Each structure stands twice: as C-alpha cells, then as structure tokens.
Amino acid sequence: MPSTILQVKNLSKSFGENKVLNAISFLLRKGEVHALMGENGAGKSTFMKILAGLLQPDEGDIELNGQPLNKFDPLAHQKAGIAMIHQEIMMVPNLTAGQNIFLGREKEISGSFWVNNEKLHRKADDILKQTGLHINAGTKMQDLSLAEMQMVEIAKAVSYDAQVIIMDEPTSAISDREVEKLFGMIRNLKEKGVGIIYISHKMDEIFRIADTITVLRDGQYIGTDAADKLDYDTLVTRMVGRKIETLYPEAGTQPGEVLLQVRDFSLPGKFDNISFDLHKGEVLGVAGLMGAGRTEIALSLYGMQPAASGTIRLNDKMLQLKTPRDAIREGIGYVSEDRKSVGLITSLSIRQNMSLASLGTFSGNGWIRQQEERKAIEQKSAELQIKSSGISQPVSALSGGNQQKVALGKVLLANPEVVILDEPTRGVDIGAKFEIYKLIRQLTSEGKGVILISSELPEILGLSNRIMVIAEGKQTALLPRNEATQEIIMKYATPGQLHAQIT
C-alpha cells in the first residue's frame, strides 16, 4: 500500500456559533487521487482552506509526511509541499506564464537582486515541459485560453515541488478535449508520487479519475471508500442524505406553438447564419465545444452584443434588441455562465441583486415601493429554496448553488417569456442541480420557452426537446431528442468537418 503523505485527525472549525467542520478525519497517500465530495455548504471549502494555510482550525491535527503542521500560513504550507489550485484563476493577466509561475520568487530564481527574466523563463519552460505542456513561458496569461491558464496554475504548483496538490473544480470552465489534457497531467503527477485532492461536482469525472472518495455532509465526515467500491446512486445518497430517484424530471407538457423565431442571425467573427424556432413549453438545448459561439449567440439574443444581421420575432412581433434593457422589456431573460462577474454583484444583498432587473415593477415617481419589493423577493426566495439568513444577507456569504439560485431569481422576477440559461449548473452540487432541473420543468409547464446552453451532454440530453449544435460559430445540426446521442452531438460539434444541417 502506498505510504501516507497527509493525515488529518479530528479537525473542527466554527464561525461564531456555526460549526462548519466537526471532527473531520482524512488520509492521502502518495500517487493517489482522493476525491472530496459533498454538496455546497458541506464544509469542503473550509477544509481545503485549512489545508492550504488560509484558515486556522479550532481543533485537530494535520501531519505532512509524519510532521505536524502548526503554522497556518499559505506561504509556510506551500514551502512544506501543499499547493492549491483555486476554481477562480489566481493569475496576473498582463504578466507572462513564467512570471506568474514564479511570482514572488523572482530574485530567488534569478540568484541576484535583479530579476533575470531570461533565466526565469528558461526555468519555467523546463517546468512546463515536465508537466507535458506545450506553452511558451514568455506568453502573457491574457493571451492563453482558460484551460491553458488552469494548466499554468498546475505548473506553478509543481514548481514548489508540491507533494500535495488540491484541485478545486479544475474542469468547471474547460472543454472535454481540455479535460483529457488535464487528466493526462494528473496521471503524470500520480506516477511521480504526488497526492491529489480533487473536488468536482461532475460525477462522471470522479469515477474516471479518483482512486478514493471521501464524502462530507453538513460539516460531518460521512465516509471514505475506494472509488471502484461505490456506484453513482450510493455516492449521491451519501452526499445529499436521501435518494434521488431520477435526476432529470419528466416533462409534464408537450411544446406548443412557436414563441421565438430567429432567422439568419449573424455577428462577424462570432457566429453566422443561425436560424431556429423556440416553442412555448420547450427546452431547446444548445451544445458545442468551448468557444464555438454558444454564449455569443445568447448575448446577442439578450442585447448585450447586438447581431449585425438577421431577425428576431417574439410572439410574431419583430424585435430590435440593442441593450439588455430592451430584451428584458420584451420578455427575454438571461442567466450568465459567469454568475460572479456578470450575473451578480456579490457585495450586495439577495434583495438588491434579485430586484436589479425588475426595479421598474416596484417603483414610481423616483421611489421604490420597498414593502412590495420585499414581499415579492421573499416569495421568490422561498420558491427557489434559497438557504440564507434572510434576503438582507450578502450574496458573497452564500454557497455556489444558492448564488446561482439568486441569479435565476433575478431573471425570473421580471417574468420573462423566454429564459436563456447559460451553463446554469456550473459549479453547483448534485442537490442544487436537481432543484434547478425541477425549476426548468416548472418554467416549461407555465408555457415559457427555455434555451439551455450546457457543456454537460447528459444535462442537454436529459432536459431538451430538441438540440441545436454549434461548431466554429455555425449551426451544424438541429436534432430531435429521440435522434440525439452524445456521440452524434460530438460528431456535429467537432470543428473542421462539413456537416449537412438538419432541419
């Protein structure tokens, strides 16, 4: 059996009267990928921050290679051999990949008072090659793809001679092809004896890459098993504390008449000649690889990046959408894939965020009818089952799943007829996904049309009535659900191939 690198015993942490971790134990071995699973709010983030030295526990012991870790400081933990790759990229965009890898250690690498960028980039190139990356260390971070930035984060961890690497949702914003590259890097690190703590809400990834799985729920340790001893249903039950019979709720109604018509929709450099109908009560799935143009189409339909040509009709009325305000007024709502930067103002409260798109409904003569606003938001929060201390709580204090529900609530409060959901379950746990899926079914039962953009093909197949595939800004297929499989969708999503458009 591989030797132990990291051992955690009876770790506890409270914030005020809220005990977020209660006597957690955990063990990581050399060359092991140990998945840490649990819903948002289970305590995973707090546990990882303690391991990374960002927080100090109230009780418990942590040993690295048999030596106690007592100094809870990020730099001390890095030097000891623990590195953390955060879900949000922690890089300086206008610096090079090499400068980011050695940020804060430039003089140490240069061997003198003056920073020697040539020497620094040579060393960074060596590390990038060690990790199997074909990235020039002199390339600025802002010129790399999101996946390449993620890989540079891993190279930075390797540069510290890390024995333990914590990966928090490393695939949340990268394509399937880039996931394969990441998994290749992980296998390479395993061969070198590096232990990896892997956090992801994507269950298929966990069963592909993990050797061992530990589950936390509500700050409690639930159990640890070899990955090949667990199945999907057992793992979900451990995470949520109940059995979820069917992840994708059945549609209660059939699509009705045409609600939205889009014809010859084009924006040079982004997408070209997109045409489709969206029916009342229908979920139209939009599939494609990262960068295919899916989000750009959504932003144009929402007036954020107006199309250069083409037409949009809603209930047979021709629309001219120049701004998001136009789209909201006409009955189109959009939930962004990037809830923290675009969808929400996290420093503001739930109430302030949820009413942003609907202030006109609650105001007159320059005054907001606060009692009416509060009542509507409390009702919507209850409908969405947002877990909070109240609607005055800052959004920044909520879990990822509850933040996503606030973003949904903001859009739904305006009562749109067409709801565009761009990666609505990215970074949320299995329980929150199930709630969002039920909400989508509720919207269609009310006769609303839903455009669902997702990189998770099981999600697209599980919820959509029809599926539109986009590749390199072009519409390559429009498939009825009963004719679609993951293999067929990927065939049409693959760039560089000619496909006959299916209408």
Side-chain angles (χ1 to χ4, degrees):
M1 183 177 288
S3 57
T4 299
I5 306 178
L6 181 74
Q7 186 159 18
V8 178
K9 301 174 185 175
N10 301 316
L11 201 70
S12 295
K13 178 69 179 177
S14 297
F15 295 106
E17 295 182 1
N18 182 24
K19 195 156 195 172
V20 294
L21 290 176
N22 186 17
I24 302 299
S25 293
F26 183 88
L27 188 144
L28 179 69
R29 298 179 178 91
K30 288 184 178 180
E32 176 185 50
V33 177
H34 194 142
L36 186 66
M37 303 294 288
E39 293 189 278
N40 292 112
K44 304 187 305 294
S45 293
T46 301
F47 185 42
M48 292 303 99
K49 286 176 182 177
I50 290 172
L51 292 182
L54 295 164
L55 290 174
Q56 184 163 346
D58 300 328
E59 299 172 28
D61 300 304
I62 302 174
E63 292 182 357
L64 185 66
N65 289 320
Q67 299 299 312
L69 284 178
N70 298 318
K71 188 177 181 182
F72 288 89
D73 169 80
L75 191 57
H77 281 226
Q78 278 183 343
K79 287 182 177 178
I82 299 175
M84 183 169 179
I85 298 164
H86 298 265
Q87 184 175 353
E88 282 85 24
I89 302 295
M90 309 286 281
M91 290 283 181
V92 183
N94 62 340
L95 295 183
T96 66
Q99 288 167 333
N100 272 279
I101 287 171
F102 293 119
L103 193 63
R105 297 177 288 161
E106 296 89 349
K107 293 176 185 176
E108 173 190 333
I109 299 302
S110 299
S112 66
F113 179 80
W114 303 104
V115 175
N116 184 332
N117 276 315
E118 186 179 342
K119 187 175 181 181
L120 182 147
H121 284 135
R122 276 202 311 271
K123 290 202 173 191
D125 274 326
D126 289 341
I127 288 166
L128 289 165
K129 286 173 186 173
Q130 283 176 36
T131 50
L133 291 179
H134 302 290
I135 296 171
N136 189 316
T139 306
K140 286 193 175 182
M141 291 297 290
Q142 62 197 16
D143 296 327
L144 299 176
S145 70
L146 198 57
E148 288 171 329
M149 291 182 191
Q150 193 77 272
M151 305 299 190
V152 173
E153 286 265 29
I154 295 172
K156 183 174 183 177
V158 171
S159 77
Y160 280 99
D161 293 323
Q163 300 170 66
V164 175
I165 299 179
I166 302 165
M167 298 187 180
D168 186 6
E169 295 283 353
T171 65
S172 63
I174 64 177
S175 70
D176 289 344
R177 188 176 300 173
E178 291 160 334
V179 168
E180 293 305 319
K181 290 181 184 177
L182 174 65
F183 283 4
M185 288 184 67
I186 290 173
R187 293 184 189 102
N188 187 32
L189 290 168
K190 282 181 63 175
E191 289 174 5
K192 294 177 179 178
V194 176
I196 294 167
I197 302 173
Y198 193 92
I199 301 172
S200 177
H201 292 305
K202 297 182 179 180
M203 308 286 278
D204 58 327
E205 284 184 8
I206 295 301
F207 285 109
R208 282 186 59 199
I209 200 68
D211 301 300
T212 310
I213 300 174
T214 288
V215 177
L216 303 183
R217 187 171 71 238
D218 298 327
Q220 304 283 337
Y221 170 78
I222 301 301
T224 299
D225 278 289
D228 58 10
K229 301 295 183 186
L230 291 171
D231 59 27
Y232 178 91
D233 290 338
T234 303
L235 182 54
V236 170
T237 301
R238 285 189 181 182
M239 289 167 60
V240 303
R242 67 187 190 281
K243 191 170 183 179
I244 295 178
E245 297 290 347
T246 305
L247 185 58
Y248 303 106
E250 292 291 328
T253 56
Q254 291 296 315
E257 62 191 40
V258 172
L259 176 64
L260 181 75
Q261 290 179 313
V262 176
R263 295 290 182 272
D264 304 321
F265 214 43
S266 297
L267 182 61
K270 303 292 184 182
F271 55 85
D272 182 52
N273 199 32
I274 306 297
S275 296
F276 63 90
D277 292 338
L278 176 68
H279 296 254
K280 291 183 177 180
E282 180 183 34
V283 177
L284 177 67
V286 183
L289 301 178
M290 204 69 67
R294 298 169 303 165
T295 293
E296 288 76 11
I297 294 168
L299 292 175
S300 285
L301 291 173
Y302 191 55
M304 284 185 73
Q305 294 180 2
S309 60
T311 60
I312 308 171
R313 289 180 177 273
L314 181 60
N315 288 319
D316 212 28
K317 175 188 175 183
M318 185 74 77
L319 304 185
Q320 296 292 329
L321 305 178
K322 303 294 185 185
T323 66
R325 181 178 292 180
D326 296 336
I328 293 167
R329 185 179 61 248
E330 297 292 356
I332 298 175
Y334 172 64
V335 180
S336 169
E337 64 176 336
D338 187 352
R339 60 177 175 263
K340 290 188 177 179
S341 299
V342 180
L344 298 168
I345 303 173
T346 56
S347 60
L348 298 183
S349 67
I350 294 170
R351 178 184 65 81
Q352 291 167 312
N353 271 281
M354 284 182 67
S355 63
L356 276 175
S358 312
L359 282 174
T361 307
F362 307 114
S363 62
N365 300 318
W367 296 93
I368 296 174
R369 298 186 294 276
Q370 292 189 7
Q371 190 172 352
E372 184 182 334
E373 177 200 32
R374 176 175 289 276
K375 184 178 178 182
I377 290 167
E378 285 177 343
Q379 182 178 337
K380 187 60 69 177
S381 295
E383 288 174 10
L384 294 172
Q385 299 181 39
I386 296 171
K387 294 177 183 176
S388 69
S389 60
I391 62 172
S392 297
Q393 185 173 5
V395 166
S396 58
L398 301 178
S399 69
N402 285 298
Q403 287 183 355
Q404 186 69 340
K405 289 180 182 180
V406 173
L408 284 161
K410 182 185 78 169
V411 170
L412 298 181
L413 205 62
N415 196 28
E417 292 186 75
V418 174
V419 181
I420 305 169
L421 302 176
D422 195 351
E423 304 285 3
T425 63
R426 173 177 289 167
V428 306
D429 61 66
I430 193 75
K433 280 186 178 184
F434 184 59
E435 296 300 326
I436 291 170
Y437 296 158
K438 287 199 296 184
L439 175 63
I440 290 171
R441 289 298 184 221
Q442 181 186 327
L443 292 172
T444 57
S445 70
E446 294 169 1
K448 299 183 188 298
V450 176
I451 297 174
L452 172 65
I453 301 170
S454 178
S455 297
E456 295 192 38
L457 291 183
E459 190 168 270
I460 289 282
L461 291 165
L463 294 168
S464 304
N465 299 95
R466 292 179 301 141
I467 299 162
M468 180 169 67
V469 187
I470 305 296
E472 295 184 327
K474 298 186 185 300
Q475 180 179 337
T476 55
L478 192 56
L479 304 166
R481 169 62 187 89
N482 59 5
E483 294 180 14
T485 64
Q486 291 196 39
E487 292 74 21
I488 289 172
I489 290 172
M490 286 307 298
K491 183 186 79 168
Y492 283 105
T494 303
Q497 296 186 29
L498 294 175
H499 306 296
Q501 182 171 318
I502 300 177
T503 57

